[in-house]
Structures are given as structure tokens and as C-alpha cells.
Amino acid sequence: MNIKQAKEHIKNAVKLYLKKDAYGEYRIPVVRQRPVFMLGSPGIGKTAIMEQIAQELGIALVSYSMTHHTRQSALGLPFITHKNYKGVEFDISEYTMSEIIASVYEVMEQSGIEEGILFLDEINCVSETLAPSMLQFLQYKVFGRHKVPDGWVIVTAGNPPEYNKSVREFDVVTMDRMKLVEVEADYATWKEYALRQGIHNAVTTYLDMKKNDFYRVETNVGGKSYVTARGWEDLSATMLLCEEEGLAVDETLVSQYLHNEKIVKEFTAYYELYNKYKKDYKIEEILEGSNSAQVVERARIAKFDERLSLLGMLLDKLESEMKENLEESDHLTDLMKVLKAVRILCEKDADKGVQAQITDQIANREKLMASMANAGTLSDEDRHRHRAVIKFLETAERKLRLEKLEGEAAFALLKADFDARVAGMKAENSRIQTRLHNLFAFSEVAFMDGNEVLVLVTELTVNAYSARFIGLYGSADYQRHNEDLMLHERQDDIMKEIEALEL
């Protein structure tokens, strides 16, 4: 299965394991809660989906790589203690609490969240001295004499032997105590993730044309060459920063992330061509609707790969603007709830004052963020949203203090600032809708009835932000072409059915 299917499978398993009866007991007894073993090639996003699952379920996450652990750190250190059995004194060995188990309890204490996922990566690469203890752990959730708290689901991950010399193949007895989930690299699934994460458009447009370069592990005369999803994502982050700083993205840089000489050369050459397209086509002018006839003509006679790159650049620019606009809308929705809460609290306790209530709201929001961070469930989207609300409140509190405003005067200032933000968001929203229309208008003239218009509609549909933006605010151009696309697909289906009848 691909990583998206694996995520849903594991998420459902965790939900079932945490399901309780009317008496608060887990429906599936802890001893029957088989650990999940996610087996897949390196760099395909196994760790990332665990963070997403914990965030979506609102539970905690503790992650450990087992390759870093010795028997002592995993099981605890031995010490001598005294026992009395039927009047006879004995010295026996006990063990301190495992570092892994202790981390679970620390997260529970710091976050206040009692349930979670204990994720152990590289589980099949444990040291030889630790290996005998793994069977006991996988069956009974015990390290040494210390048990994983109830309500914590164990998920493990590992690489197949062909990718890692340190891998120890589990025997049947061990495998029979786990739920095996085998994961394969899949570009279509990764692209959905890439669009949400803001992966550099040069990466996605290159891989759209050369999907076989997305994930590759080979053994040749020079040793192993490999390209992974993790490598593409890390390269993308570096490329974006290099562009901000005006630094070159050359073969030397690319080869630090992609370890395949042929792919390094081809992607570097494509990136240079990508930048040339970006300069020649003047993306901003196309989106503003002021593009020249020469630009339209060049796009019309261009080869398909050049058209695809151009379309990718236009979509990348527009979809990033949609994302920012939607995030601003979400921030304002959250902020409105906070301001309403301040109003209600002030009505209940008029003596406290607006400034003090805002200060409390800031403290509460920071406490919530700290709790989510400690639990490992604070996503980037949540962090940005909370920070945006806190920034507005801090600015407002500073203004109120300087102008010495309280009561209705204070609320009038808060409303004015909030309304100004809303007006700015709506103006930007209108601008983006116009730019979307301009993109369709350019595509219709430059690409005519080519596949590029179908690609445009498809990309707007699969991208989470553009799909949400169009769903909320509409687009007559998108609707018209989407209906044409669905009609075209239906005609293809009908023709296949006719051919099958052999009339």
C-alpha cells in the first residue's frame, strides 16, 4: 500500500485500540493490542505520518529511533536492593525505569494528555544485546520491569534488509505478535503531501515529467545510488532559502540530497531551464492579465514540457496566494472567537478590565501551544494560527495600555483593528479571484484545447488549498472546464463500453 493508505490503516487501528466500553475499559484488552509494524523503504514519510495521526486524533506522540539505544538505556540500569522473604534477607537486582518509558510519563505530565502513540523507528535494527527483550516488549508492552502506560499504542517501523545491513529479520514468533503494514513509495500520493507542504514547484513539475526519478535505489559499480522522498523534500527547503538569499543551486548542492549522478545532472539542468522560463514568461504579468501577444504565442508553440513547467509556475504562485488568504481567514475566525470571549468575560467581571482579560487570553493560548508541543501534536498550521492570534492580542494590549483605554472605548479599538484585517483579507480574496480568471483566460488562448487546460483543472482540484478556495468562493471558469472534463471522461467511458460489446 502507499503511505496515504498506510496512514489511514494505522489511524483506524489506533482509534480501535483506544475505544472504551461503558466502564472505561479498553474494548480490545491491552494484551491483544498488537503493535503495528510499518515496513518500507527509507525516506518515504513513515515518521511524518505518525505526527499527522497524533495531531488528527488529538493524542500525544513519543518517538524514538531504536538504533540509538543500548540494552541499558532501553531496559534501565541495574541496582542492588534488599528484600526480606520469610524473615531471610536477600540482595537482588532491580532496574531503573527505561528511558523510553520515562519519556512517555514525562509527556503525559507536561501535556496533560493521557493517551498517545509510542513510535519506535528502526525496530529491526536493535543491538544484539537488546534483541531478546524485544519479543517481551512487543507482546506485553514491558521494558525491563516497567510497563508502557495503558492508553499508549505501540507503532514500530523498519526498513527491509536490502536497504540496511544492520537489519535483523524477525522470526515467525515475533511477526505473529504484530500487525504488518508494508508501505511502498508512490509519487501521486507524495505529490498531495508536497502541495500542502509547499514543496518547490521545480521539484514537482520535474517529477510530473519524470515520475521514475521520485524514488530510486540502485546498486552499481560505484556502490549504492539512491533518491528518496525525504531527499526531495530536504532539497526543496534548501532551494527556497537559496533563492531568498540569492545563492546558486548547482550540481554540488543538489548532489548533497539526491545521490544519483544522472538524476542530479538532469534535475540541475531542468532547474536552470525552469528559471529561464520564469524570467521569459513574466508570470506576474500573466496573472495580472497584462501579458503580451508575444508571450501568448511563445506558449502556444512551445513543447509540452515547457508548457507544463509554465503552468506549474503559474499554479504555484496562485495557489500559494490562496493558501495565505485561507490561513488569514482561519486566523480571523479564531481571533473573532477570542474577542467574543473577552467581551463575555468582561461582562461577567467588569472590575477586571479589557487589558487584563486580553493578557489572560495570551497566557492561555501560550499554555495551550506548550501543551500541544510537549505532546508532539502541534502542527505547523496550528502554530501559525496561534501565533497570529497572539500577535494581534499583544499589539492590541499594547495600544490599549498606551492610550489608557478600557470599557467600550477599548472594544471600539479592538473592533476597528479587527475590521481592518477583515477588509484586507476580503480585498486580497477578490484580487486572487481575478488572477484565477486571468489564468484561465491565458490558458484558453495559449493552450486552446490542449491537455494543459485539463491539467490546470486537475491540479486545482487535487490541491487542498485551491480546492477549498474555489469551494468557498466559486469560479465560473473552473466550473465550466470541470464540467467539460467530466463530460469528456464520460464519453470515454461510453466508448469503452461500446467497444466491449463488440457491435
Side-chain angles (χ1 to χ4, degrees), residues 120-242:
L120 304 180
D121 200 5
E122 310 291 353
I123 192 73
N124 53 353
C125 293
V126 295
S127 64
E128 188 174 349
T129 57
L130 184 56
S133 303
M134 291 310 302
L135 181 59
Q136 179 190 30
F137 170 73
L138 294 172
Q139 184 173 7
Y140 300 108
K141 294 188 175 182
V142 172
F143 266 134
R145 296 189 62 180
H146 302 282
K147 187 173 179 292
V148 177
D150 290 349
W152 281 75
V153 177
I154 297 172
V155 180
T156 66
N159 301 323
E162 59 266 30
Y163 294 106
N164 193 328
K165 294 180 180 179
S166 302
V167 164
R168 305 169 60 88
E169 291 196 60
F170 288 142
D171 55 30
V172 174
V173 176
T174 304
M175 292 300 296
D176 192 41
R177 284 165 168 77
M178 297 189 290
K179 287 166 61 75
L180 177 63
V181 177
E182 295 189 73
V183 190
E184 297 179 346
D186 177 69
Y187 173 65
T189 302
W190 183 81
K191 186 178 178 181
E192 292 181 29
Y193 165 82
L195 293 173
R196 291 195 304 272
Q197 295 297 114
I199 299 297
H200 198 294
N201 185 246
V203 171
T204 52
T205 52
Y206 172 82
L207 292 176
D208 282 339
M209 294 181 287
K210 298 196 173 187
K211 294 180 176 62
N212 291 334
D213 289 354
F214 166 61
Y215 196 98
R216 188 180 297 186
V217 178
E218 300 172 338
T219 302
N220 48 41
V221 178
K224 275 194 179 291
S225 67
Y226 54 95
V227 176
T228 69
R230 182 190 297 122
W232 285 113
E233 183 170 4
D234 292 345
L235 173 61
S236 165
T238 301
M239 289 169 61
L240 291 168
L241 291 176
C242 284

Side-chain angles (χ1 to χ4, degrees), residues 262-396:
K262 179 174 179 291
I263 294 176
V264 167
K265 288 183 179 298
E266 289 184 355
F267 177 72
T268 305
Y270 172 78
Y271 179 70
E272 293 177 359
L273 195 60
Y274 174 91
N275 284 327
K276 183 177 184 299
Y277 294 157
K278 197 172 184 179
K279 181 179 179 181
D280 292 349
Y281 278 105
K282 300 177 182 178
I283 301 302
E284 190 60 31
E285 290 185 8
I286 293 175
L287 293 175
E288 285 297 316
S290 59
N291 48 281
S292 64
Q294 290 88 344
V295 168
V296 173
E297 179 62 16
R298 173 171 175 173
R300 190 184 67 79
I301 64 175
K303 294 181 179 179
F304 180 71
D305 59 345
E306 183 173 333
R307 289 180 166 201
L308 199 62
S309 297
L310 170 59
L311 192 58
M313 287 183 281
L314 291 164
L315 281 165
D316 183 55
K317 176 67 174 174
L318 191 60
E319 287 171 343
S320 65
E321 293 174 356
M322 290 177 175
K323 177 183 177 182
E324 290 178 7
N325 188 253
L326 289 169
E327 287 177 345
E328 175 70 357
S329 177
D330 292 340
H331 298 166
L332 291 171
T333 300
D334 196 8
L335 180 58
M336 182 172 62
K337 295 176 183 177
V338 174
L339 296 178
K340 286 182 176 179
V342 170
R343 164 74 79 172
I344 292 170
L345 290 169
C346 285
E347 290 174 354
K348 290 181 179 179
D349 185 4
D351 295 334
K352 191 166 186 179
V354 179
Q355 292 181 43
Q357 293 290 1
I358 289 177
T359 301
D360 286 350
Q361 290 293 325
I362 294 171
N364 292 339
R365 182 73 51 147
E366 289 178 337
K367 184 178 179 180
L368 174 62
M369 286 182 63
S371 175
M372 294 174 68
N374 288 330
T377 59
L378 184 65
S379 66
D380 289 340
E381 291 83 358
D382 287 335
R383 182 183 292 105
H384 295 158
R385 177 169 52 83
H386 290 314
R387 284 296 175 204
V389 171
I390 289 172
K391 183 178 179 181
F392 180 94
L393 294 176
E394 287 177 338
T395 302

Side-chain angles (χ1 to χ4, degrees), residues 61-157:
L61 174 68
V62 172
S63 299
Y64 267 96
S65 175
M66 295 308 295
T67 54
H68 302 154
H69 280 282
T70 62
R71 186 175 187 276
Q72 288 73 26
S73 63
L75 302 182
L77 294 171
F79 65 91
I80 304 299
T81 187
H82 300 284
K83 294 286 185 179
N84 186 306
Y85 298 115
K86 296 184 178 180
V88 181
E89 296 285 338
F90 292 92
D91 289 339
I92 65 171
S93 296
E94 292 276 6
Y95 285 86
T96 59
M97 180 175 280
S98 159
E99 177 187 324
I100 297 173
I101 305 295
S103 295
V104 173
Y105 280 106
E106 285 178 6
V107 166
M108 291 170 64
E109 184 177 344
Q110 293 172 0
S111 68
I113 299 175
E114 297 293 318
E115 295 179 328
I117 297 171
L118 174 57
F119 178 58
L120 304 180
D121 200 5
E122 310 291 353
I123 192 73
N124 53 353
C125 293
V126 295
S127 64
E128 188 174 349
T129 57
L130 184 56
S133 303
M134 291 310 302
L135 181 59
Q136 179 190 30
F137 170 73
L138 294 172
Q139 184 173 7
Y140 300 108
K141 294 188 175 182
V142 172
F143 266 134
R145 296 189 62 180
H146 302 282
K147 187 173 179 292
V148 177
D150 290 349
W152 281 75
V153 177
I154 297 172
V155 180
T156 66

